């Protein structure tokens, strides 16, 4: 069975540009989560989808971040415009019970 | 105060040694507790869930003390392949996972 996949694996952009991260959850998992780890800090929750609905977006840092899950399958996380402090590793996870994590997208904002 | 606090590490131990990780959490309403393992530049993977009665999986033993809001992980007879970062994780019941910063373990031959 395929696990959680994320694309791209790495992204290097300049401050002010836009980046869109994609997550494909494990097939059949209704729950999808985004997390972020910035350098030297712990992993932080960003938001949680149940199917296509945002269940909890309390961890989203500001309105430059927009997450969508149209159709309740894959999800995208768009950062617009990107700032230096957005650099980090963005993990996606999906679950029915246990959360399974994708390999992450390493975002570098220059 | 951080919601989940762990030993800062790194721990450098010889192969075959016993290693103990400690973790405390601040939210007394926390409901579920886990240890995750993360290899360098990889995603975190669930190592064990932690129950009040304590649980064991081979060389790994996890314990939870709700009164003290304390979680532990013990690794016996450590192997080179145990080298990784160990993350203490807590769930308050709303699906959010609250993460500790992790403790890096380096097993030396």
């Amino acid at each position: 069975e395929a696990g959680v996949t994320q694309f791209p694996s790495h992204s290097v952009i300049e401050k002010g540009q836009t980046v869109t991260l994609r997550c494909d959850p494990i097939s059949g998992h209704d729950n999808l989560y985004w997390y972020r780890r910035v350098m030297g800090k712990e992993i932080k929750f960003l938001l949680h989808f149940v199917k296509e609905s945002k269940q909890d977006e309390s961890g989203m840092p500001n309105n430059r971040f927009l997450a969508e899950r149209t159709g309740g399958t894959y999800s995208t996380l768009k950062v617009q415009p990107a700032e230096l402090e957005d650099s980090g590793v963005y993990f996606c996870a999906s679950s029915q019970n246990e959360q399974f994590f994708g390999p992450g997208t390493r975002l570098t904002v220059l | 105060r951080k919601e989940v606090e762990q030993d800062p590490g790194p721990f450098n131990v010889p192969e075959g040694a016993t290693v103990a990780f400690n973790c405390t959490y601040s939210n007394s309403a926390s409901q579920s507790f886990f240890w995750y393992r993360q290899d360098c530049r990889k995603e975190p993977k669930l190592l064990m869930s932690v129950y009040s009665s304590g649980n064991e999986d081979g060389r790994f033993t996890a314990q939870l003390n709700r009164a003290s809001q304390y979680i532990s992980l013990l690794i016996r007879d450590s192997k080179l392949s145990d080298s990784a970062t160990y993350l203490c994780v807590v769930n308050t019941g709303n699906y959010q996972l609250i993460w500790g910063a992790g403790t890096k373990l380096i097993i030396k031959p």
Side-chain angles (χ1 to χ4, degrees):
Chain A
E1 180 185 343
V4 178
T5 58
Q6 292 187 244
F7 181 84
S9 57
H10 294 79
S11 179
V12 181
I13 60 172
E14 293 186 349
K15 176 183 172 181
Q17 290 185 320
T18 297
V19 63
T20 300
L21 313 181
R22 173 172 169 142
C23 169
D24 286 79
I26 293 172
S27 178
H29 281 191
D30 291 338
N31 296 289
L32 186 149
Y33 314 82
W34 284 98
Y35 293 87
R36 175 174 78 167
R37 184 169 199 167
V38 297
M39 183 79 72
K41 301 282 189 180
E42 62 273 14
I43 296 172
K44 290 279 194 183
F45 167 85
L46 296 179
L47 87 160
H48 168 212
F49 283 98
V50 177
K51 296 184 180 178
E52 68 275 9
S53 299
K54 290 177 186 174
Q55 186 75 13
D56 179 355
E57 53 184 329
S58 61
M60 294 288 263
N62 51 61
N63 59 9
R64 295 185 294 103
F65 289 75
L66 176 64
E68 294 182 319
R69 194 184 181 193
T70 307
T73 54
Y74 71 92
S75 174
T76 58
L77 179 64
K78 183 162 73 173
V79 186
Q80 179 183 30
E83 298 289 344
L84 299 178
E85 64 265 25
D86 300 332
S87 295
V89 182
Y90 289 76
F91 290 105
C92 174
S94 72
S95 78
Q96 290 293 57
N97 293 302
E98 175 188 342
Q99 293 188 27
F100 293 89
F101 284 77
T105 293
R106 187 172 296 273
L107 175 64
T108 303
V109 183
L110 302 175
Chain B
R1 182 186 172 188
K2 291 183 179 179
E3 292 183 80
V4 178
E5 297 217 46
Q6 295 185 241
D7 296 324
F11 289 0
N12 288 277
V13 301
E15 192 175 6
T18 295
V19 186
F21 298 97
N22 302 311
C23 171
T24 57
Y25 60 94
S26 62
N27 189 337
S28 59
S30 299
Q31 298 184 10
S32 308
F33 309 89
F34 311 93
W35 284 101
Y36 276 73
R37 169 193 169 130
Q38 186 174 23
D39 292 283
C40 188
R41 292 184 174 263
K42 298 284 189 181
E43 70 274 21
K45 292 185 178 179
L46 180 64
L47 179 65
M48 305 177 70
S49 299
V50 189
Y51 305 111
S52 296
S53 54
N55 47 303
E56 187 173 311
D57 182 3
R59 298 182 293 109
F60 298 81
T61 301
Q63 293 200 310
L64 166 66
N65 184 321
R66 284 186 182 269
S68 303
Q69 295 179 203
Y70 169 83
I71 307 160
S72 67
L73 175 68
L74 191 75
I75 305 176
R76 291 181 299 279
D77 187 25
S78 54
K79 311 291 184 190
L80 295 175
S81 57
D82 294 334
S83 296
T85 296
Y86 290 82
L87 298 150
C88 178
V89 184
V90 168
N91 186 320
T92 56
N94 61 355
Y95 287 93
Q96 282 191 33
L97 296 182
I98 311 299
W99 299 75
T103 303
K104 187 172 184 177
L105 173 66
I106 301 168
I107 305 296
K108 298 190 170 181

